[in-house]
Amino acid sequence: MTTPHLGLLALFLAAALPAAAQDDATALLAKAAAAYEKNQQNEKQWNWNIVETRTLLNKSGETVQSFPAVTSESVIRSDGRRCNAVTAWGDGRAPYMKDADPDERCQAFNALGMPFQVEFLLKSGNAKLLDQAASAIRISVLPDHSRAKSRDYAVRCAASIKATILLDAATFFPIRIEGEVTESGCNGLFYPVVHYETVIREPMVSQFRKGASFLVVYELQKDKFDNPANAFWISTEQHYSQPWDSAAIVIYYWGRQVLVSRTKGHRLVKEIKTTAQDRKST
């Protein structure tokens, strides 16, 4: 038989446990954000090459058009910071400013990167601890409505994402992020800077918007001396499936507009593979 006092205590504990779990998730994400920021300091120790492919699928999931693949490399600015610059197009097109100095190449492509900022996703105020093991910690992040109306696009977009984040239990680094954009904070128009021929001159709809899904995977890179101080987590795989605007006649990426020959597109799939090399080994 349960006494009234015990019944009230059980009810109180049932209500308190979810809040405690949420607090744990927030604290763990704070550690993940710190690990992510610290990791950026080691990028100067590494070089990398990236290969991207894009395909347009119909509603049945069949490929209706493949767009030129693009290969890029890390470039070091005069101030020591990094950017990515094109080294080759899959259709043989000459890369823009390939032989220019690093600062010029970085200026041409300094706005490129992941379509959302991981550090802002890790600052979500709407997180839940799913499970915690000796090797990994799994956290669920839901859209954060308290930041959804921010004037800062990066904050607004991250707040519109529903994701499952896997943390390395030893370092708290986010080794796998899988999610989808479920709110409208990533939606928007942008004015592309085109370095090649221009097909149209008007604002374009963001491809990473409500309805997009993604997977980002990080792997730890160790230098040839296995020095932990130089280790670097890098996103070796990125997968994106994004809603397609059926009225689009071009696709824009890496400073280039490419004509779309099919009108039956439904989803744009982007695959990114990255390989890293220790600068001391190259």
Side-chain angles (χ1 to χ4, degrees):
M1 180 176 178
T2 303
T3 67
H5 292 294
L6 289 177
L8 288 173
L9 179 61
L11 181 62
F12 173 78
L13 289 175
L17 283 175
Q22 185 170 350
D23 290 342
D24 288 344
T26 302
L28 289 166
L29 284 182
K31 292 181 179 180
Y36 186 86
E37 182 178 351
K38 182 180 178 181
N39 183 67
Q40 299 304 106
Q41 300 171 11
N42 279 0
E43 72 173 13
K44 61 182 179 294
Q45 308 287 346
W46 295 85
N47 294 325
W48 56 84
N49 297 91
I50 303 173
V51 177
E52 301 181 18
T53 61
R54 289 166 174 79
T55 53
L56 186 59
L57 309 182
N58 61 20
K59 289 185 178 181
S60 299
E62 301 168 327
T63 298
V64 295
Q65 185 173 354
S66 295
F67 300 102
V70 60
T71 302
S72 63
E73 65 179 355
S74 57
V75 176
I76 305 174
R77 296 181 172 106
S78 58
D79 62 5
R81 292 185 299 161
R82 294 300 190 97
C83 79
N84 298 330
V86 173
T87 58
W89 284 97
D91 61 353
R93 186 66 188 267
Y96 180 72
M97 298 185 74
K98 181 180 180 180
D99 298 321
D101 66 58
D103 284 342
E104 289 180 315
R105 296 180 71 194
C106 282
Q107 186 177 6
F109 297 104
N110 63 358
L112 299 172
M114 207 173 289
F116 68 96
Q117 293 192 23
V118 173
E119 55 267 42
F120 286 114
L121 183 63
L122 296 175
K123 294 177 181 178
S124 173
N126 194 5
K128 178 182 178 182
L129 177 62
L130 296 178
D131 50 62
Q132 189 166 359
S135 60
I137 303 165
R138 197 161 57 99
I139 295 174
S140 170
V141 171
L142 295 176
D144 187 347
H145 297 293
S146 66
R147 302 185 302 156
K149 302 299 182 181
S150 172
R151 294 184 179 182
D152 187 327
Y153 172 82
V155 174
R156 189 170 68 245
C157 182
S160 300
I161 291 174
K162 174 184 177 182
T164 300
I165 303 174
L166 193 67
L167 306 182
D168 175 62
T171 65
F172 300 104
F173 191 87
I175 56 178
R176 180 186 174 97
I177 305 173
E178 185 171 10
E180 58 183 317
V181 183
T182 59
E183 304 296 332
S184 60
C186 300
N187 296 11
L189 298 175
F190 68 97
Y191 290 84
V193 177
V194 182
H195 300 305
Y196 304 87
E197 72 280 353
T198 302
V199 180
I200 60 174
R201 293 183 180 275
E202 60 184 36
M204 303 189 71
V205 177
S206 172
Q207 294 168 2
F208 189 77
R209 60 183 187 271
K210 186 175 182 179
S213 60
F214 65 90
L215 170 65
V216 179
V217 178
Y218 287 86
E219 291 185 9
L220 184 63
Q221 312 296 313
K222 299 181 179 181
D223 70 8
K224 63 179 181 180
F225 302 111
D226 199 16
N227 182 356
N230 294 331
F232 182 55
W233 293 94
I234 195 168
S235 58
T236 54
E237 298 178 38
Q238 295 180 50
H239 309 268
Y240 300 93
S241 175
Q242 301 165 129
W244 180 254
D245 180 4
S246 59
I249 62 171
V250 298
I251 179 175
Y252 169 85
Y253 58 103
W254 284 97
R256 183 178 175 185
Q257 289 184 350
V258 180
L259 281 170
V260 177
S261 61
R262 303 287 183 177
T263 59
K264 299 294 185 181
H266 180 64
R267 305 284 293 184
L268 178 69
V269 174
K270 179 171 66 172
E271 305 279 352
I272 303 176
K273 302 290 185 182
T274 304
T275 56
Q277 307 88 32
D278 176 6
R279 287 184 61 198
K280 300 182 182 68
S281 303
T282 57

